[in-house]
């Protein structure tokens, strides 16, 4: 009787899917930082497309309810941390800028708008979900 250590195919697909998303974020950040933003965007798009192909090519569910539970908890924690950091960070930077202690870094502006949009989207989603259960 022989035993094998072969992993189920879903494990390989899940690792490939996750790896492509990790690589997409790293490529985007690195190539923006070194002055080649379009290369970063291109690599991000290629990796994102690859991850979609991985999901589409796998026969069967790649993720199950345990994965969604983990994802929900991670999302909740991420939004909570980003909310607290943003609620402290942006008003502090704004006050220091208004007091002429620091200069508002231009690169912070799009991040501020993104965080504001994310907060509004979260508020809208929360209101929508609350109405579904009312």
């Amino acid at each position: 009787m022989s035993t094998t250590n072969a992993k189920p195919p879903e494990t390989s697909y899940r690792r490939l899917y996750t790896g492509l998303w990790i690589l997409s974020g790293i490529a985007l950040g690195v190539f923006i930082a070194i002055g080649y933003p379009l290369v970063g965007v291109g690599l991000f798009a290629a990796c994102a497309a690859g991850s979609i192909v991985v999901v589409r090519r796998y026969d069967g569910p790649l993720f199950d309810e345990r994965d969604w539970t983990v994802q929900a908890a991670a999302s909740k924690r991420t939004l909570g941390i980003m909310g607290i950091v943003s609620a402290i960070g942006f008003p502090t930077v704004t006050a220091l800028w208004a007091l002429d202690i620091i200069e508002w870094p231009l690169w912070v502006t799009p991040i501020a708008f993104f965080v504001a949009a994310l907060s509004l989207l979260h508020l809208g989603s929360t209101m929508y979900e609350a109405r579904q259960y009312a």
Side-chain angles (χ1 to χ4, degrees):
M1 186 195 279
S2 70
T3 60
T4 62
N5 290 333
K7 292 183 171 68
E10 71 201 37
T11 302
S12 298
Y13 277 87
R14 288 167 62 124
R15 285 185 180 160
L16 180 57
Y17 174 85
T18 303
L20 285 168
W21 277 113
I22 291 169
L23 182 60
S24 73
I26 291 170
L28 181 63
V30 166
F31 281 96
I32 287 172
I34 64 173
Y36 296 100
L38 292 179
V39 173
V41 169
L43 289 171
F44 178 88
C47 290
S51 69
I52 292 168
V53 168
V54 167
V55 171
R56 299 277 188 230
R57 292 194 62 136
Y58 183 71
D59 235 6
L62 196 54
F63 301 101
D64 60 20
E65 61 277 347
R66 293 170 296 175
D67 297 306
W68 301 122
T69 301
V70 169
Q71 186 67 26
S75 297
K76 180 180 175 184
R77 184 175 299 106
T78 301
L79 280 174
I81 291 169
M82 290 302 295
I84 290 168
V85 169
S86 297
I88 295 168
F90 285 113
T92 302
V93 170
T94 303
L96 293 173
W97 169 70
L99 294 170
D100 213 17
I101 296 172
I102 66 165
E103 190 158 329
W104 181 271
L106 185 58
W107 62 269
V108 174
T109 302
I111 297 171
F113 282 118
F114 175 81
V115 169
L118 181 65
S119 298
L120 290 173
L121 177 60
H122 183 257
L123 175 64
S125 294
T126 301
M127 292 169 64
Y128 173 81
E129 291 298 328
R131 289 194 68 198
Q132 298 302 310
Y133 294 103

